[in-house]
Amino acid sequence: MTDRTSGEPPATGAKGPDELRRQIERTRSELGDTVEELAGKMDVKGRARARAADLRDKAGAMTVQLRSSAAQAGHTVHDRATQAGHKVQDKAVKSGHKVQDRTLQAGHVTQGKASQTSAALERRAEHSVPGPARPLVLAAVRHPRPTLIVGAAVAAVVVVSWRYPKK
């Protein structure tokens, strides 16, 4: 039969009082260790507190790590959004310049065609309109907006007088 703790066969007997004292001390020490182990296993509250403290420490460390990761992700998202915003702004400015240039070109073309049309109308008016009405037609060709306003007013007067004749 072997001893449980040391793995050596048990001594058959002490050879003297000193050796007996040593065996007693060793047995007491082993018994004390065994009692401490059993007391530790029986202290459920203490083990639960120790486990809770370990879990709190782990949770705190994970919280710090998650906050750090979240802050880093936030900075990354902010940087990428800023870059995307700058790209969009640059494209919008370029598109705005293109539209402005095209509008300016279209305005020049329209102005040129309007000048050509006005010159053609003046030439026709000089040649085909009878003498007494010629200055009036030329003024209408040179200044179309006031002519349109006056024409609209005359048309309104004609419509009203036709619609509501005097009795």
Side-chain angles (χ1 to χ4, degrees):
M1 184 167 137
T2 59
D3 188 11
R4 282 188 325 164
T5 56
S6 67
E8 300 174 4
T12 55
K15 294 183 181 168
D18 289 335
E19 190 176 330
L20 183 62
R21 284 187 189 108
R22 280 191 300 243
Q23 284 179 359
I24 291 172
E25 281 301 314
R26 189 175 63 226
T27 304
R28 281 183 183 164
S29 174
E30 290 173 2
L31 185 60
D33 291 342
T34 304
V35 168
E36 281 183 29
E37 285 180 27
L38 289 174
K41 288 182 180 180
M42 294 302 292
D43 185 18
V44 175
K45 246 186 198 179
R47 287 191 338 209
R49 286 183 186 144
R51 179 78 174 139
D54 287 344
L55 290 175
R56 271 194 301 272
D57 291 343
K58 283 183 181 179
M62 289 177 100
T63 301
V64 169
Q65 184 179 6
L66 286 173
R67 284 183 181 166
S68 173
S69 297
Q72 186 177 3
H75 290 300
T76 302
V77 167
H78 179 266
D79 292 344
R80 288 184 181 171
T82 302
Q83 290 174 354
H86 288 302
K87 285 181 182 178
V88 168
Q89 186 178 11
D90 291 344
K91 287 184 179 182
V93 167
K94 287 179 184 177
S95 296
H97 286 281
K98 283 182 183 178
V99 168
Q100 189 176 14
D101 291 344
R102 288 180 182 168
T103 304
L104 187 62
Q105 289 173 353
H108 288 308
V109 169
T110 304
Q111 186 177 10
K113 290 192 179 196
S115 294
Q116 289 174 357
T117 304
S118 174
L121 285 175
E122 282 184 38
R123 281 194 302 274
R124 280 186 191 167
E126 287 177 2
H127 297 294
S128 62
V129 175
R134 191 174 294 152
L136 183 62
V137 171
L138 288 176
V141 168
R142 289 186 187 127
H143 308 289
R145 191 173 289 160
T147 304
L148 289 174
I149 292 171
V150 170
V154 169
V157 168
V158 169
V159 167
V160 168
S161 64
W162 178 70
R163 177 96 172 147
Y164 303 106
K166 287 188 180 182
K167 293 181 185 182

